Amino acid sequence: SIDDQGVRPMLALRRSRRRFALPALTVLLAAFILAACTGPGSYRTVRGGMSDPGNFVRDYLQYAGREGPVLVEVPAGAMGLTGRQLAPRVADMISGSVFGMTTQFTADRTAVREPNWRIIFLFNNALNIRGDEVCAGEVRQNTGKPSMNSLAVFCHRDRLYASVSGYAESFGGVDDPAFRAYARQLVDELFPRNSDEMLRLGGWDD
């Protein structure tokens, strides 16, 4: 779920109506707080861009990927890799991650049928850069901190259709499972599921 400020919890926990005994709940909360506040890989994401991308942005993604993978671009490097090196790794991580869809992603521009539709990831982004600027080709980074701010945008040419900003503690590298989860959650927020789809595909796990 997303709170009133649009912030999603650091980890996507299944919804549950079960009641816990107080001791068990105390242990669970302590473990969660410890995991959230220590070590690399804790993160949060905030949806931005269009006020309610909803079904339309998912429809555009489905159109873009109807005859092949959707393009992923990473215009600047992070974690010791160049953007060119990082892009195929991210594309592989996020393939199949959009809820209810089988969309695949690639960094190979020659392999896509709709190269004007693309997802751009800007890692270590400067906080004053906007999603529409990233779609238009702007790149501004802030690499002076160990944390990783991130911006993921879905664009058609230079037009912004959806954006998600993220904040993460420093990862252990591109092979860190937490980085994979982070990239997939950014994409999950770009193409949010709605209640009709949840019900059609089996509903929430209550």
Side-chain angles (χ1 to χ4, degrees):
S1 61
I2 299 175
D3 66 18
D4 58 358
Q5 296 181 356
V7 178
R8 188 168 187 167
M10 288 182 292
L11 298 177
L13 302 177
R14 291 182 173 181
R15 297 184 179 189
S16 176
R17 296 192 181 96
R18 298 184 181 89
R19 296 182 179 272
F20 291 91
L22 183 58
L25 181 59
T26 301
V27 171
L28 179 63
L29 287 174
F32 181 80
I33 292 170
L34 181 63
C37 299
T38 61
S42 61
Y43 57 85
R44 62 181 175 85
T45 57
V46 181
R47 188 177 302 145
M50 299 180 70
S51 60
D52 184 16
N55 289 332
F56 295 106
V57 73
R58 291 174 62 87
D59 290 344
Y60 292 134
L61 177 68
Q62 191 168 36
Y63 172 81
R66 71 193 186 283
E67 295 181 354
V70 175
L71 184 63
V72 168
E73 296 179 349
V74 181
M79 296 178 293
L81 299 179
T82 65
R84 185 182 295 272
Q85 292 170 326
L86 193 53
R89 304 289 296 274
V90 173
D92 183 63
M93 291 173 189
I94 65 173
S95 288
S97 64
V98 180
F99 179 84
M101 301 172 67
T102 59
T103 307
Q104 302 294 299
F105 298 93
T106 182
D108 182 359
R109 191 178 184 88
T110 65
V112 302
R113 295 294 299 272
E114 296 289 343
N116 290 323
W117 289 100
R118 64 203 194 282
I119 297 177
I120 305 174
F121 290 88
L122 182 58
F123 299 109
N124 294 323
N125 62 288
L127 295 181
N128 64 346
I129 193 168
R130 303 189 311 269
D132 60 328
E133 293 178 311
V134 175
C135 285
E138 292 283 337
V139 176
R140 294 198 300 274
Q141 286 183 291
N142 178 10
T143 58
K145 297 181 179 180
S147 59
M148 180 189 288
N149 294 307
S150 304
L151 189 60
V153 296
F154 182 52
C155 315
H156 181 258
R157 295 195 176 102
D158 61 353
R159 180 180 177 184
L160 173 68
Y161 278 80
S163 71
V164 173
S165 60
Y167 168 83
E169 299 298 331
S170 57
F171 294 108
V174 70
D175 294 318
D176 188 339
F179 176 69
R180 179 179 185 273
Y182 178 53
R184 290 174 72 87
Q185 184 165 330
L186 287 169
V187 172
D188 187 57
E189 294 283 3
L190 270 179
F191 308 102
R193 63 202 78 180
N194 61 41
S195 57
D196 289 341
E197 285 178 311
M198 293 296 292
L199 292 173
R200 179 173 60 84
L201 296 172
W204 287 277
D205 185 11
D206 287 329

